Amino acid sequence: MPDKRQQKARLLQVAGLSCYYQRQRRKTLCIRLDADGDVWIACPWYLPEFFIRRAVEERFAWIQERRRQVQQSSLRRAEALFFHLGKAYRVQHKAVVGRARVELQSDLLLLHLPEGTPRSAEELLVQRWQRRELQRLLPDLISRWEKKLGVQVADWGIRRMRTRWGTCNTTARRLWFRLALIEEPLDCIEYVVAHECAHLLERQHNARFYALLESHLPYWRELERALQQRDS
């Protein structure tokens, strides 16, 4: 059954290839493939279907090659290991009727998914589960480092950051943590919490800041190096 996004689009069959197209307020035609390998076309609202079909035919070889690349990428993701708190898990899918959920077993991340769940919905399910897991761990770690450093955190949250493991707004006394932290060992997560809490005492990365880390977390350099290697 088509998903809601597909139901809103028009279906076009070209040489056995199913394409979804949507008319928009734009000047050019754009062809792209999503994570599931489906072909999506955005085109000007006035463009006749004949021209859309011809555009697909002209780029048919490119579309087929791009679909092959997407399928290979999906296969690599399926075979890839999933990391949670520093431990590697094999990913396995299980078709279910009803609510999708994530189950963590001894060496397996089991995804209970309804038949035909798109890749984007699967990724969103895992991200929400990761967020809950990190939300479960952070309060105790933050409380521990508030007491150690004699500081008070006004608020904290989780974001999908790309370049930082954490940030600290010293004025608002608000901490932000990267969602991908949940993939790292617990001592690395604690280091990021300690690092951001230390910024409430010293905003800059200077001698005083590193002295604070050294006195309360002597092995912080090893933890930081482990995170840098993971992020490279």
Side-chain angles (χ1 to χ4, degrees):
M1 178 180 294
D3 60 28
K4 292 181 180 179
R5 184 181 54 154
Q6 292 170 342
Q7 291 173 0
K8 293 180 180 179
R10 294 188 179 182
L11 179 62
L12 179 68
Q13 296 285 346
V14 182
L17 185 67
S18 298
C19 307
Y20 297 93
Y21 73 91
Q22 293 177 314
R23 301 184 186 280
Q24 302 174 353
R25 295 178 62 87
R26 57 183 297 136
K27 296 181 179 180
T28 59
L29 181 145
C30 174
I31 300 176
R32 65 179 181 84
L33 277 73
D34 63 16
D36 296 314
D38 291 327
V39 181
W40 286 85
I41 303 166
C43 63
W45 64 268
Y46 56 81
L47 198 68
E49 190 173 284
F50 168 80
F51 288 98
I52 301 174
R53 183 182 299 275
R54 189 170 67 181
V56 173
E57 292 172 345
E58 290 175 350
R59 303 196 68 183
F60 191 80
W62 174 85
I63 292 171
Q64 292 291 70
E65 173 61 20
R66 188 75 185 94
R67 290 190 79 183
R68 185 187 65 80
Q69 294 172 0
V70 169
Q71 290 169 355
Q72 287 182 345
S73 178
S74 297
L75 181 61
R76 286 196 297 269
R77 285 197 300 269
E79 294 174 345
L81 293 176
F82 178 89
F83 287 88
H84 180 71
L85 293 179
K87 181 180 176 180
Y89 295 83
R90 292 182 297 106
V91 179
Q92 189 174 97
H93 297 76
K94 182 178 181 180
V96 297
V97 176
R99 185 176 63 88
R101 63 187 178 89
V102 178
E103 180 184 357
L104 198 65
Q105 298 183 352
S106 59
D107 62 347
L108 191 69
L109 183 83
L110 190 58
L111 301 180
H112 300 262
L113 299 167
E115 195 72 35
T117 299
R119 172 68 65 177
S120 56
E122 177 184 326
E123 292 176 349
L124 184 60
L125 173 70
V126 173
Q127 288 167 12
R128 287 175 174 171
W129 176 79
Q130 288 181 308
R131 184 177 295 273
R132 291 194 298 270
E133 289 290 296
L134 191 54
Q135 287 171 333
R136 179 177 60 84
L137 292 174
L138 286 175
D140 287 344
L141 294 175
I142 292 173
S143 177
R144 180 186 307 171
W145 282 93
E146 283 179 320
K147 293 174 183 177
K148 281 190 175 186
L149 297 173
V151 298
Q152 186 173 3
V153 175
D155 193 17
W156 61 271
I158 299 169
R159 287 176 173 171
R160 291 184 63 195
M161 295 185 283
R162 293 181 178 274
T163 59
R164 297 183 180 182
W165 292 105
T167 63
C168 174
N169 184 321
T170 55
T171 303
R173 309 186 75 77
R174 181 184 299 113
L175 309 183
W176 289 101
F177 299 97
R178 183 175 174 177
L179 178 60
L181 257 182
I182 195 61
E183 300 174 13
E184 305 304 321
L186 186 58
D187 53 358
C188 288
I189 299 175
E190 182 168 9
Y191 160 67
V192 175
V193 172
H195 184 112
E196 301 309 327
C197 284
H199 276 306
L200 295 174
L201 292 176
E202 176 52 61
R203 183 175 181 178
Q204 304 297 325
H205 287 131
N206 54 23
R208 178 171 181 255
F209 175 82
Y210 291 118
L212 282 169
L213 288 181
E214 192 73 34
S215 61
H216 293 281
L217 199 64
Y219 54 95
W220 68 269
R221 289 182 178 83
E222 288 79 3
L223 299 174
E224 184 177 78
R225 191 175 301 115
L227 287 172
Q228 289 174 343
Q229 291 173 349
R230 176 74 170 84
D231 212 24
S232 60

